Every structure is written in C-alpha cells, then in structure tokens.
Amino acid sequence: MNDPRRKLLIFLHNNDYATRPLLRRILLHDPGLTSVFHMSSQDISSLYKIPFQRAKAFHDQLQSDARRYKSEQFMKEFSVITIFDEDYPILLKNIPDPPFVLYLAGNRELLNHTPSISVVGTRKPTKSAYPAMERVISPLIEAGWRVVSGLAAGVDRFAHLLALRYHGTTVGVIGSGFHHIYPKENISLFQQMAASQLVISEYAPDVRPQKYHFPERNRIVSGLSAATLVVEAKARSGSLITVDQALEQGREVFAFPGSLLNENSEGCNRMIQEGAKMVLNTHDIIESWPK
C-alpha cells in the first residue's frame, strides 16, 4: 500500500476522460505515472493518439485542485484497491482486461476468499429457479465457498441472499458508484452487504449507472472466480456476456438445464449443448471444479 503510484493511478482513474485503453497506454509508456502530469494537451494528444479536445479536457482535469480534492475524499470515504496493491486478487489480475482501480464497501479480506463461484442469471427468473439455486448452492455456502454476483434483480439478488441466509460470504459487483445504487430496490441489500460482506465497483462513488457499465461489470463478476454458474438465461441474455467473458478468461462454465418450453432456459440449454457443464446437483460442481 506504500507504492507512490497508487494515488496517482486513482486520480487518473477519476478523470472523466480517462478510459481503460488510455490508462493502459499511459502505464505502458510511463509505468511510474509521472510524466503525464507534466505534459501539454498537444503532447498528450500526439503521444496517446486521442483527439485534441479530449486531450485538453483530460489535461485540464489533471491540473484541477478540485478534482484532486474529490479523489482524496473518495479515498477517505471508501477503501480503494489498485492493480499495484499486493492484495489485488490474482485471478482478477490475470484476465485480459483487469480493472486498474476498485472501490470497496465492506470486508476487504473477502476479495481473496477461496473457493469462490460466480452466479449469474436473468433478472426475471421463474419460480423454480430459487429452490433449484438453494438446493445446489447452499451446500457450497455452508462448506465455505464465496458467492460472487452482480447485485442486480432476480438471480443475482437471490444468490447474495442465499449466502447471507446460510451465514456464508458473498461479494457484489455493481455497475455504478456507491452513491448511486441500481436498482433502487437493492439499496437495503447493498447496505447489508457493505456492513458484513463486500461490494465492489470499478466506478468512482459519484458515477451514475450507464447501460454500458453492466457488460463491463460482468468481466469482473466472472474474473473473481475460477468458474461461473448460469441459473437461467434467455437465448439473448446479458448473462451470456458474462459467460463469454468467463470463457475468454479461461474459466469453467456451469449451467442449470431447463424445460424446452421455458424461454428462460434457452440460453442455458444452448450453452450445455456447446460444452458447458450441466449441473443437476452440488456434486456436479465439486467434481468438475477447476484444479
């Protein structure tokens, strides 16, 4: 935590015009994160191949005392982990596009808890999804497994609630800053998890949810675990984005099978047909767990 680059990276990350690709190029060119603060707008535009107007806006925020103060206030309000920190999760660091900065609300130690399974699925599950999840996942929770999900409605919410009900551990990954919890009906769950579990976000606390945040968030959900379990998913489901991320990350994918008449099972059944491990009980996960 004494790496002098931490604060610089967090400050850069808080810049409204600093995308992950730009941060990646900056780190590649200047691993010490010192020269960019002394460059002109034109130099930034030329070196990092971005339009001058964006480079100027980026440069202006780099020089802003108000932005620096806001960044420091965020660090006081919440725990922050950077890719430079020793306790940054190894599994997450090894994905193709790891987050450079994560904000944490809750128990930081849960970041590296193992074993861990990510659970995803539709926001509008059928009634049978919940007892199926309880049957398969609760024995894992009682055995000490961490449950990771996206703190969304439906399957995500129930995965977190299962971990709480069975006195286990759970991590929620959200697609907004902590000052703007979405969906609003999960605010109380967020507060409960921030008090006894862990919620993380790639976005600064004042960032409002945007549509594109949730596909971005999915790579972190899958990246925190060695395997992802899909409970229910339509043929064209956001959960399948998480599956694609998991496969790209070299992780195992498990899926619940479902009725041919249930559109919420189309995605899972197709995944199983294409090679995902079909899960009928807890043992199916344990025996196929990535070694």
Side-chain angles (χ1 to χ4, degrees):
M1 290 249 192
N2 295 322
D3 194 319
R5 298 173 297 173
R6 286 190 82 252
K7 280 190 175 181
L8 298 176
L9 180 58
I10 294 167
F11 182 52
L12 280 168
H13 180 266
N14 274 320
N15 192 301
D16 293 334
Y17 302 91
T19 60
R20 287 198 311 281
L22 176 57
L23 286 176
R24 196 176 297 113
R25 292 199 296 273
I26 291 172
L27 281 166
L28 191 64
H29 178 263
D30 179 24
L33 294 179
T34 52
S35 65
V36 69
F37 291 94
H38 304 289
M39 294 169 66
S40 69
S41 300
Q42 185 60 60
D43 289 340
I44 291 171
S45 176
S46 299
L47 181 61
Y48 296 117
K49 305 293 188 295
I50 61 175
F52 177 76
Q53 288 303 318
R54 179 183 163 200
K56 185 179 185 310
F58 174 76
H59 173 269
D60 289 349
Q61 288 197 7
L62 283 188
Q63 305 306 318
S64 168
D65 289 337
R67 297 293 301 194
R68 194 174 299 275
Y69 175 77
K70 184 159 89 166
S71 180
E72 289 172 355
Q73 290 304 112
F74 288 157
M75 285 188 279
K76 290 177 182 177
E77 187 178 3
F78 297 102
S79 180
V80 186
I81 190 168
T82 76
I83 202 162
F84 298 137
D85 296 332
E86 289 182 4
D87 59 343
Y88 188 98
I90 295 297
L91 275 176
L92 194 59
K93 185 177 282 190
N94 287 335
I95 71 173
D97 186 16
F100 295 110
V101 174
L102 290 171
Y103 292 86
L104 317 177
N107 183 356
R108 185 182 180 116
E109 292 182 5
L110 294 185
L111 263 180
N112 286 289
H113 183 100
T114 56
S116 172
I117 189 165
S118 297
V119 180
V120 299
T122 177
R123 286 171 168 78
K124 296 180 180 179
T126 61
K127 290 182 180 178
S128 63
Y130 299 128
M133 289 174 67
E134 186 164 21
R135 175 182 171 183
V136 171
I137 299 172
S138 60
L140 298 177
I141 296 168
E142 292 181 319
W145 290 47
R146 180 186 70 175
V147 173
V148 178
S149 197
L151 233 170
V155 166
D156 288 19
R157 176 181 173 83
F158 194 68
H160 296 305
L161 289 174
L162 268 178
L164 294 170
R165 181 184 303 168
Y166 286 88
H167 309 290
T169 56
T170 186
V171 175
V173 187
I174 64 173
S176 60
F178 292 143
H179 295 166
H180 300 282
I181 300 303
Y182 178 86
K184 292 188 184 301
E185 54 264 35
N186 276 350
I187 289 176
S188 61
L189 177 57
F190 162 76
Q191 292 169 339
Q192 188 177 0
M193 288 177 59
S196 64
Q197 302 293 326
L198 180 63
V199 183
I200 68 178
S201 176
E202 185 177 15
Y203 307 102
D206 63 340
V207 174
R208 294 180 180 275
Q210 303 292 336
K211 265 191 173 181
Y212 67 89
H213 288 173
F214 298 95
E216 288 184 340
R217 176 272 314 267
N218 291 347
R219 80 190 196 288
I220 302 174
V221 173
S222 58
L224 282 168
S225 301
T228 293
L229 169 65
V230 188
V231 174
E232 284 186 349
K234 293 182 180 179
R236 299 183 68 180
S237 163
S239 300
L240 302 185
I241 298 174
T242 312
V243 170
D244 288 342
Q245 298 280 10
L247 293 172
E248 183 184 3
Q249 295 161 0
R251 309 297 160 84
E252 189 77 50
V253 175
F254 299 101
F256 284 178
S259 167
L260 300 181
L261 304 178
N262 177 10
E263 65 175 356
N264 270 1
S265 296
E266 288 181 17
C268 289
N269 289 340
R270 179 69 64 183
M271 286 164 45
I272 292 167
Q273 191 177 48
E274 294 175 354
K277 171 72 176 181
M278 181 169 65
V279 172
L280 300 178
N281 53 50
T282 309
H283 181 69
D284 289 335
I285 293 176
I286 293 173
E287 72 169 3
S288 301
W289 193 250
K291 298 298 187 288

